[in-house]
């Protein structure tokens, strides 16, 4: 179970670390970093999500237990934010 999670998230965090080191050592300038950020957010991330969802069966994608937990957590945080804002 843990190795499955690490095999999925590991490359993502390695790329984040590589990007951090590249900017830390001045390999890219500020304008280039903005371009890469827009490229990732507007092109590669949606493509990766689409590919990940398209290669799975519908039952794997639509998990009601996950959706219920996400909805409950979202409603809880919305409620706490609302109470905090009113207070």
């Amino acid at each position: 179970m843990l190795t499955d999670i690490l095999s999925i998230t590991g490359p993502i965090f390695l790329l984040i670390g590589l990007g951090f080191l590249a900017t830390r050592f001045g390999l890219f300038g500020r304008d280039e970093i903005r371009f890469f950020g827009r490229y990732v957010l507007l092109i590669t991330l949606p493509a990766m999500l689409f590919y990940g969802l398209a290669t799975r069966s519908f039952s794997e994608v639509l998990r009601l237990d996950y959706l219920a937990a996400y909805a409950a957590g979202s409603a809880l945080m919305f409620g706490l934010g609302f109470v905090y804002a009113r207070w």
Side-chain angles (χ1 to χ4, degrees):
M1 176 77 173
L2 181 61
T3 56
D4 294 336
I5 295 170
L6 287 177
S7 70
I8 294 170
T9 60
I12 295 169
F13 287 115
L14 286 173
L15 284 174
I16 291 171
L18 183 63
F20 172 77
L21 291 174
T23 56
R24 184 77 167 176
F25 291 115
L27 192 60
F28 297 111
R30 183 175 293 274
D31 293 333
E32 295 164 328
I33 294 300
R34 288 183 187 187
F35 170 77
F36 283 137
R38 286 182 54 111
Y39 171 74
V40 167
L41 288 176
L42 298 177
I43 297 173
T44 57
L45 186 60
M48 184 184 73
L49 290 173
F50 179 78
Y51 176 77
L53 292 174
T55 57
R56 306 238 188 282
S57 68
F58 188 71
S59 63
E60 284 181 307
V61 173
L62 186 64
R63 297 206 28 199
L64 294 180
D65 57 341
Y66 172 77
L67 291 175
Y70 187 84
S74 296
L76 175 68
M77 293 311 295
F78 177 78
L80 289 174
F82 184 76
V83 167
Y84 178 75
R86 296 292 288 171
W87 179 53

